[in-house]
């Protein structure tokens, strides 16, 4: 890969660069005749380079960032287990079929197809949480009056948050970055989709000019942001990269006409936004017990990292790094752990109330149910249509009473009979 820079001289010792385990074997440079610099990266695998510039900071007057993406290889250190990935694919496909039928105005149609599939073994799968420490690398984020960098404190909080999830049976977390490098905003949401995340949480610290403001805030996507994102996803040129780049084709809509695609995305985004707001309320409640709240309600904004159409997402401003007192607190490992614990507890509280049907949490909840007269425990060989017919109710009613967003039944699952 060749990078030609105008009016530039070399000011680093390239032999001292740490290239271990990177795609770059060697960096070579040469002086161009016009007074510029040529940088050559000898790469050892196929890469997709992306570049952008960042505004000047104290250290540098010009900044060019070049990301080398590896096609086909996830940038996540600890990727999802292939079996779990398969289960998630099945769930997502079933949910999509459901939404399509609703969007097409014919909810019974999907029932007729999928409802005759026999109950499957309960996978007791983990709920997957994408933990996203904001900024990183060349982008330090906000900087406190005593020099604390947002990118460092949010990484600390994110690591503690991931650890809390990983210690909890039924949950697994991964980080969109696990050390000090920059990840593009769209890349963060793409990683969450690749890893089939059930939830995405981005960790930040606020800054304003005044030193006074303090406290935590929680953001979900705004309606305006959702609407403009729906438009963006529907724009043909963008579909090429994002919907196909949806990697697994989860949300591939290219076989649908435009009106249907619009309705489908609206349904998905509305459901996702409602989930985000409900979880945000829980997180805010827990944060309010350990920290002052800057805003007492979940705020809504059009942040790019919140724009996954199908993954509920929150952005947490943990505190004001511009407030010297809060800056000091954000640096402390104890306060970081408290913040992580509050965010963790809020998300877990939401999932305990609304566990995905195939999750370990749903299975655990159902262990204590099934004996009441209006409850039915799913057995091997059952199908949704049989269970409905056996109780003299419609499949619609059965699904609604149980909040089922797909037709897949799991052995051991307990259904409420309306
Ligand atoms: Zn930030």
């Amino acid at each position: 890969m060749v990078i030609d820079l105008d009016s530039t001289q070399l000011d680093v010792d390239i032999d001292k660069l740490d290239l271990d385990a990177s795609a770059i074997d060697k960096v070579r440079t040469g002086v161009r005749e016009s007074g510029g610099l040529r940088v050559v990266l000898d790469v050892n695998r196929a890469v997709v380079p992306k570049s952008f510039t960042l505004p000047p900071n104290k250290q540098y007057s010009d900044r060019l960032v070049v990301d080398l993406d590896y096609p086909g290889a996830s940038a996540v250190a600890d990727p999802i287990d292939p079996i779990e990935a398969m289960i998630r694919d099945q769930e997502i496909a079933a949910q999509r079929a459901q939404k399509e039928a609703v969007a097409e105005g014919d909810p019974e149609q999907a029932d007729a197809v999928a409802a005759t599939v026999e109950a499957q073994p309960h996978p007791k799968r983990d709920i997957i949480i994408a933990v996203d420490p904001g900024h990183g690398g060349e982008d330090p984020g906000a900087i406190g009056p005593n020099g604390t960098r947002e990118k460092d404190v949010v990484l600390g909080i994110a690591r503690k948050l991931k650890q809390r999830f990983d210690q909890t049976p039924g949950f697994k977390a991964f980080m969109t970055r696990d050390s000090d490098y920059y990840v593009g905003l769209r890349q963060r949401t793409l990683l969450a989709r690749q890893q089939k995340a059930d939830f995405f949480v981005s960790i930040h610290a606020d800054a304003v000019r005044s030193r006074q403001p303090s406290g935590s805030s929680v953001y979900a996507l705004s309606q305006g942001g959702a609407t403009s994102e729906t438009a963006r996803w529907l724009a043909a040129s963008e579909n090429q990269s994002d919907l196909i780049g949806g990697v697994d084709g989860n949300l591939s809509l290219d076989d649908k006409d435009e009106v249907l695609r619009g309705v489908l995305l609206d349904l998905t985004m509305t459901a996702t936004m409602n989930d985000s707001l409900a979880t945000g309320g829980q997180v805010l409640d827990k944060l309010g017990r350990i920290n002052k709240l800057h805003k007492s309600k979940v705020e809504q904004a059009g942040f790019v990292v919140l724009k996954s159409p199908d993954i509920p997402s929150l952005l947490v401003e943990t505190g004001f790094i511009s407030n010297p007192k809060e800056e000091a607190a954000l640096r402390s490992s104890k306060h970081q752990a408290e913040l992580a614990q509050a965010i963790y507890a809020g998300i877990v509280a939401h999932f305990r109330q609304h566990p995905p049907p195939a999750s370990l949490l749903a299975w655990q909840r159902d262990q204590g149910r099934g004996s009441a007269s209006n409850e039915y425990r799913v057995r091997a060989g059952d199908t949704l249509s049989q269970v409905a017919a056996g109780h003299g109710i419609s499949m619609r009613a059965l699904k609604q009473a149980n909040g089922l967003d797909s037709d897949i039944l799991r052995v051991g699952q307990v259904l409420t009979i309306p």
Side-chain angles (χ1 to χ4, degrees):
M1 202 179 113
V2 178
I3 305 167
D4 279 337
L5 302 160
D6 292 334
S7 316
T8 305
Q9 291 171 352
L10 188 65
D11 191 34
V12 289
D13 184 352
I14 49 174
D15 291 333
K16 286 189 177 154
L17 294 175
D18 180 10
L19 301 173
D20 268 6
S22 80
I24 302 166
D25 273 341
K26 204 172 169 203
V27 180
R28 296 177 287 136
T29 62
V31 177
R32 295 164 67 209
E33 40 186 74
S34 53
L37 181 72
R38 168 164 286 190
V39 180
V40 178
L41 309 178
D42 292 325
V43 292
N44 55 29
R45 66 189 95 165
V47 294
V48 180
K50 283 183 200 148
S51 66
F52 58 95
T53 55
L54 286 174
N57 65 6
K58 278 185 191 148
Q59 210 179 347
Y60 304 108
S61 52
D62 292 288
R63 293 185 288 167
L64 168 70
V65 177
V66 181
D67 283 330
L68 304 181
D69 286 348
Y70 314 151
S74 168
V76 171
D78 191 9
I80 184 172
D81 174 85
I83 301 277
E84 294 232 325
M86 192 183 70
I87 292 162
R88 289 286 286 136
D89 277 339
Q90 290 167 356
E91 279 182 320
I92 291 163
Q95 287 163 2
R96 186 188 164 208
Q98 184 81 16
K99 288 201 184 93
E100 271 176 23
V102 174
E104 280 164 349
D106 189 5
E108 297 291 338
Q109 186 201 348
D111 293 349
V113 186
T116 54
V117 176
E118 289 189 5
Q120 294 175 21
H122 205 301
K124 300 170 202 164
R125 74 168 178 88
D126 288 338
I127 292 167
I128 296 160
I129 310 291
V131 177
D132 176 47
H135 313 279
E138 277 293 275
D139 170 15
I143 297 182
N146 294 305
T148 309
R149 298 179 303 187
E150 179 184 357
K151 66 171 182 179
D152 298 326
V153 296
V154 298
L155 183 60
I157 297 164
R159 282 189 176 136
K160 293 176 164 67
L161 182 56
K162 172 180 158 53
Q163 200 180 28
R164 287 299 289 122
F165 281 116
D166 287 347
Q167 287 165 344
T168 308
F171 285 91
K172 186 169 188 285
F174 71 91
M175 312 229 308
T176 55
R177 70 173 176 97
D178 56 5
S179 69
D180 187 17
Y181 51 87
Y182 184 80
V183 181
L185 298 179
R186 292 280 175 191
Q187 180 68 12
R188 294 170 195 249
T189 60
L190 190 63
L191 284 172
R193 304 193 71 231
Q194 279 176 350
Q195 295 298 304
K196 328 259 180 213
D198 291 278
F199 199 85
F200 177 96
V201 57
S202 192
I203 313 288
H204 289 255
D206 249 330
V208 286
R209 280 180 185 280
S210 160
R211 292 180 166 218
Q212 302 310 317
S214 66
S216 309
S217 349
V218 174
Y219 287 87
L221 185 61
S222 63
Q223 185 62 56
T227 306
S228 63
E229 187 65 3
T230 304
R232 196 187 77 92
W233 276 65
L234 291 175
S237 60
E238 290 284 359
N239 283 353
Q240 297 311 311
S241 56
D242 259 349
L243 295 182
I244 295 169
V247 183
D248 39 27
N250 284 355
L251 253 177
S252 171
L253 303 171
D254 38 9
D255 56 333
K256 303 290 167 215
D257 71 49
E258 200 170 329
V259 175
L260 181 57
R261 282 191 289 158
V263 176
L264 205 49
L265 268 177
D266 268 352
L267 277 171
T268 305
M269 285 205 111
T270 303
T272 304
M273 236 166 62
N274 289 340
D275 261 355
S276 306
L277 286 169
T279 314
Q282 298 269 18
V283 171
L284 206 57
D285 175 59
K286 308 284 192 248
L287 279 170
R289 297 177 195 190
I290 58 131
N291 205 29
K292 186 189 152 187
L293 292 182
H294 181 59
K295 302 274 183 182
S296 59
K297 279 205 312 212
V298 178
E299 300 286 294
Q300 290 184 267
F303 294 128
V304 170
V305 290
L306 297 177
K307 288 184 171 179
S308 292
D310 49 353
I311 305 175
S313 305
L314 288 180
L315 187 146
V316 179
E317 295 280 9
T318 48
F320 280 82
I321 205 168
S322 48
N323 175 309
K325 252 192 178 165
E326 212 157 30
E327 178 190 21
L330 284 167
R331 292 177 78 109
S332 101
S333 178
K334 180 170 170 281
H335 187 61
Q336 288 183 5
E338 285 172 349
L339 288 164
Q341 172 63 27
I343 298 166
Y344 158 86
I347 294 172
V348 169
H350 176 77
F351 277 108
R352 290 217 187 277
Q353 281 174 13
H354 307 282
S359 63
L360 176 71
L361 258 62
W363 187 80
Q364 285 173 335
R365 178 199 56 190
D366 286 350
Q367 292 313 288
R369 304 171 62 214
S371 51
S373 60
N374 69 334
E375 288 174 341
Y376 176 77
R377 185 177 295 278
V378 174
R379 288 187 288 249
D382 282 348
T383 69
L384 189 74
S385 62
Q386 278 172 359
V387 175
H391 291 88
I393 51 173
S394 73
M395 285 188 284
R396 249 355 11 235
L398 184 58
K399 280 160 75 169
Q400 265 168 14
N402 292 279
L404 300 182
D405 57 3
S406 89
D407 294 322
I408 303 176
L409 291 184
R410 307 286 178 179
V411 174
Q413 181 178 4
V414 172
L415 299 172
T416 300
I417 308 298

